[in-house]
Amino acid sequence: TYQQKYFETEINGYKFFAFLDAFHENDDQISIIETKASTSNKFLKIGNSVGGVFDSIFAEFDNGVLRLKEEIGADITPKYHQQRKKLLDKYGPAGKYVYDLAYQRYMVESTLKTHKPVKYYLSVLNRDYVYDGTVDKEGKAYYNADDVMVLVDLTEVTRELQLDIEQDLKIITERLDTMQAQPVPLGVYCQKGKGHRECPFIDICLKDKGAPTKNSIFAYRDGHHGFKENRGDKKNEVTYTLFELVNKGITKALDIPRDWLSEKQKIQYDTFYNKKPHAEIEMIRQGLKSLKYPLYHLDFESFASPLPRYKGEKPYQQSLFQFSLHIEYENKMPDIHKDHIEFLAQDHTDQREALVKKLIESIPMDDGMVVVYNKGFESARLKELILLFPQYAKELESIRTRIFDLLYLVRGNNDFYQSLGFSKKDSGTLVYYDEKFQRSYSIKKVIPVFAPSINYESLEEVQNGMQAQAAYYKFPYLTKEEFKRTYTNMLKYCQQDTWAMVKILEGLRELVNSQT
């Protein structure tokens, strides 16, 4: 950072710094540019639908720079300003980036003396950029900066945030003066569940409020929408947020009045109370009957690079490098090894077509269903492969249209169960729920209930998808022995994912048979 352009100022005896990614000055103006690891989609998706057509609050103007429509005289919708407020929310997906730039503006304008206008931009990747495969003299991917980068003009928005920045800096200096590390009321500022942005002390504050680590109020699905207290009629209904209830001392799942809960949340409440799983046996039974064999249990692993690695890809596109496949025939439990097919790229060269060939060779165009867990991911990847390799479109589309989501048999799905003859009301329920799930239906939460012998923690090096990506990324930097070990561990991890699906299905069959 010693080489970066930076600004500093003193506030109440404390020095504050802002290191800039780019400071550009010419005869007409000064440009401050902050680079963010995101795409233009983060901003272009802010807006609302008008007549069934999405209308963003941003428009491209002057060589691809995104500007607010109000600033270029474009027509704005009645809900424009409501959507625009998202830019001022420092805890929101886009607003957090705007806030960072607003802080930089405060620091710059506290010290920079100039008569030139100063413009403030975020630099992000262009969501519509498609890499054309061009390489430089060294054989490395070449990206035209004018095409791959987009500037978002936030000069006016960051101006509006200057009073907020000033107030926050005042709070910071006051807290530095007192240095009192005490639990505080919880709120959106805790950034609970927001990865590295989550407050590292949140567990201390939760413990202070009496929140248990298990069966807390946070275990309720859709709890982020709040809980409604019915006071006789809809007009007098009061909605409480999760944090409001926790700060009131309502921290345990069973502390909350049952009639404040949605129908699905009531199933969770009853499960916590009775200490017994909830199961809609007939729905599971009919779901199992709808399966068409052979079953191809499929799982993909992918790498989302900020700059696309291969021709035809976009920034952050999920680029496939591995798949695991277990084949299950009717009335016959598959063998974990003999009925397993796998593919894993051995280096970082483009092996997507090799993956496709192995995939369509392994899943013939028959009537068998392709079983996945949470179909959105696999379906989207197959659509992308069809666009990339139209010569295999027929075979890939056959795989995509035969996808069956195993999650339907556990979490449920309205359309699926209505197609099996269940009412709209019945189809909207949780099909199976166990206290061990808490608020998640991830395969890592579900598998211990149906197949406790499967243990991801026993796997070496690779125990989840993020670790699989990290292991793949390291391929070029490993010794021969390290590569061999890592490659083997990656194969074992992906194999366990599809074997877990086989075992969940087996567990559901056993559950239904035990109730017959």
Side-chain angles (χ1 to χ4, degrees):
T1 55
Y2 72 94
Q3 292 181 320
Q4 280 185 268
K5 180 80 172 179
Y6 77 94
F7 290 85
E8 66 174 274
T9 191
E10 187 172 303
I11 302 171
N12 297 337
Y14 295 95
K15 281 189 175 181
F16 287 81
F17 298 85
F19 291 86
L20 307 185
D21 289 334
F23 178 93
H24 180 257
E25 183 174 7
N26 58 26
D27 294 337
D28 300 318
Q29 71 174 42
I30 294 172
S31 297
I32 307 295
I33 302 173
E34 169 77 355
T35 302
K36 291 299 180 183
S38 187
T39 74
S40 54
N41 193 50
K42 187 79 70 178
F43 297 90
L44 288 169
K45 71 179 182 181
I46 301 175
N48 57 279
S49 294
V50 179
V53 178
F54 183 77
D55 185 67
S56 174
I57 65 172
F58 284 95
E60 287 194 17
F61 191 73
D62 289 348
N63 301 320
V65 175
L66 298 186
R67 288 198 169 92
L68 289 165
K69 287 185 174 177
E70 69 198 66
E71 297 177 7
I72 62 173
D75 292 336
I76 59 176
T77 64
K79 294 183 179 180
Y80 173 89
H81 290 286
Q82 179 184 342
Q83 292 295 315
R84 187 185 185 277
K85 289 179 181 177
K86 294 179 179 179
L87 297 173
L88 305 176
D89 176 11
K90 62 184 175 184
Y91 303 114
K96 63 185 180 184
Y97 296 143
V98 180
Y99 184 85
D100 287 351
L101 184 62
Y103 167 77
Q104 292 199 351
R105 177 171 185 157
Y106 188 91
M107 299 300 295
V108 169
E109 296 186 354
S110 295
T111 54
L112 181 66
K113 306 303 178 184
T114 180
H115 296 294
K116 295 178 183 178
V118 184
K119 302 287 284 184
Y120 294 86
Y121 302 95
L122 287 182
S123 175
V124 294
L125 292 165
N126 180 4
R127 69 170 186 181
D128 297 320
Y129 174 77
V130 179
Y131 175 47
D132 62 6
T134 302
V135 295
D136 60 19
K137 294 179 179 179
E138 297 178 355
K140 296 180 180 179
Y142 173 79
Y143 311 99
N144 186 316
D146 290 336
D147 295 329
V148 75
M149 303 301 297
V150 168
L151 293 180
V152 186
D153 187 345
L154 294 166
T155 305
E156 174 58 26
V157 178
T158 53
R159 182 192 65 77
E160 295 171 24
L161 285 169
Q162 292 307 288
L163 288 177
D164 295 74
I165 297 292
E166 184 175 8
Q167 181 62 27
D168 286 349
L169 292 174
K170 180 182 177 182
I171 292 172
I172 288 171
T173 58
E174 288 174 351
R175 290 179 180 171
L176 287 170
D177 285 338
T178 56
M179 293 297 285
Q180 293 182 355
Q182 299 176 356
V184 299
L186 275 77
V188 66
Y189 42 80
C190 300
Q191 294 288 275
K192 181 172 171 57
K194 302 295 184 182
H196 71 280
R197 299 182 76 90
E198 180 180 280
C199 174
F201 306 110
I202 190 170
D203 289 340
I204 295 173
C205 296
L206 283 170
K207 186 176 181 180
D208 179 70
K209 301 294 184 294
T213 56
K214 181 182 177 184
N215 294 358
S216 76
I217 194 172
F218 292 100
Y220 284 116
R221 294 180 58 76
D222 299 323
H224 60 286
H225 292 309
F227 300 88
K228 295 180 180 179
E229 178 187 3
N230 191 333
R231 295 183 175 178
D233 57 63
K234 193 89 171 173
K235 191 180 295 183
N236 295 318
E237 200 172 67
V238 178
T239 299
Y240 299 99
T241 69
L242 272 167
F243 297 121
E244 285 174 334
L245 293 177
V246 170
N247 293 329
K248 287 175 178 286
I250 300 176
T251 61
K252 301 178 180 67
L254 296 179
D255 284 347
I256 192 167
R258 189 176 182 275
D259 61 0
W260 290 15
L261 305 174
S262 68
E263 292 306 311
K264 290 182 179 179
Q265 290 168 344
K266 287 176 181 176
I267 289 174
Q268 292 183 270
Y269 182 101
D270 295 341
T271 302
F272 299 145
Y273 183 82
N274 297 319
K275 300 295 180 182
K276 291 172 57 178
H278 167 86
E280 298 289 346
I281 297 297
E282 190 55 31
M283 294 180 75
I284 298 173
R285 189 195 315 278
Q286 295 305 318
L288 290 170
K289 284 184 177 179
S290 72
L291 295 174
K292 296 180 181 179
Y293 292 79
L295 301 180
Y296 301 97
H297 298 268
L298 176 65
D299 181 62
F300 287 138
E301 296 297 334
S302 63
F303 188 86
S305 175
L307 289 171
R309 298 187 302 150
Y310 307 128
K311 183 178 180 179
E313 292 183 345
K314 295 182 177 182
Y316 286 107
Q317 182 168 324
Q318 298 286 349
S319 182
L320 295 180
F321 63 83
Q322 182 177 12
F323 76 77
S324 173
L325 184 72
H326 273 98
I327 303 176
E328 178 179 358
Y329 296 93
E330 193 166 10
N331 300 320
K332 181 185 177 183
M333 186 66 180
D335 183 275
I336 188 172
H337 300 299
K338 293 179 181 178
D339 295 306
H340 180 246
I341 299 171
E342 60 194 5
F343 178 93
L344 173 56
Q346 296 194 5
D347 53 40
H348 285 187
T349 59
D350 186 356
Q351 297 183 42
R352 294 172 299 168
E353 186 171 9
L355 182 148
V356 169
K357 287 181 176 180
K358 184 70 175 284
L359 184 68
I360 63 177
E361 171 190 303
S362 306
I363 305 179
M365 295 174 63
D366 55 22
D367 294 328
M369 286 182 166
V370 179
V371 180
V372 301
Y373 199 86
N374 204 351
K375 65 184 279 186
F377 179 78
E378 275 76 17
S379 181
R381 303 293 79 76
L382 287 165
K383 283 183 178 180
E384 290 164 356
L385 289 177
I386 289 169
L387 292 175
L388 289 168
F389 303 104
Q391 64 271 37
Y392 306 114
K394 185 177 180 181
E395 295 89 343
L396 290 170
E397 181 63 15
S398 171
I399 294 172
R400 193 188 71 81
T401 56
R402 288 183 285 145
I403 284 180
F404 177 85
D405 197 337
L406 182 56
L407 192 55
Y408 291 175
L409 299 183
V410 189
R411 190 180 67 190
N413 179 271
N414 291 53
D415 292 339
F416 173 66
Y417 282 104
Q418 285 185 61
S419 72
L420 296 181
F422 291 91
S423 69
K424 184 176 181 179
K425 180 181 178 182
D426 290 342
S427 297
T429 190
L430 295 178
V431 177
Y432 187 92
Y433 182 77
D434 189 286
E435 185 179 25
K436 293 177 182 177
F437 296 170
Q438 293 296 287
R439 69 178 301 274
S440 173
Y441 273 92
S442 73
I443 198 166
K444 304 294 191 298
K445 287 283 189 179
V446 172
I447 192 61
V449 173
F450 294 102
S453 61
I454 293 182
N455 182 7
Y456 280 87
E457 293 181 0
S458 66
L459 295 174
E460 294 183 22
E461 187 177 6
V462 182
Q463 300 173 350
N464 56 55
M466 290 300 293
Q467 290 178 354
Q469 289 186 28
Y472 172 70
Y473 173 80
K474 292 189 296 184
F475 274 9
Y477 313 105
L478 300 176
T479 65
K480 189 175 182 180
E481 286 303 312
E482 288 173 337
F483 174 81
K484 183 178 179 181
R485 182 176 64 252
T486 297
Y487 194 85
T488 300
N489 289 334
M490 290 180 67
L491 290 174
K492 287 180 179 178
Y493 165 73
C494 201
Q495 180 184 31
Q496 182 150 298
D497 264 355
T498 50
W499 185 245
M501 293 193 287
V502 172
K503 297 298 286 185
I504 289 173
L505 205 52
E506 181 186 40
L508 288 168
R509 292 193 197 99
E510 291 175 353
L511 175 66
V512 169
N513 292 336
S514 69
Q515 301 295 315
T516 301

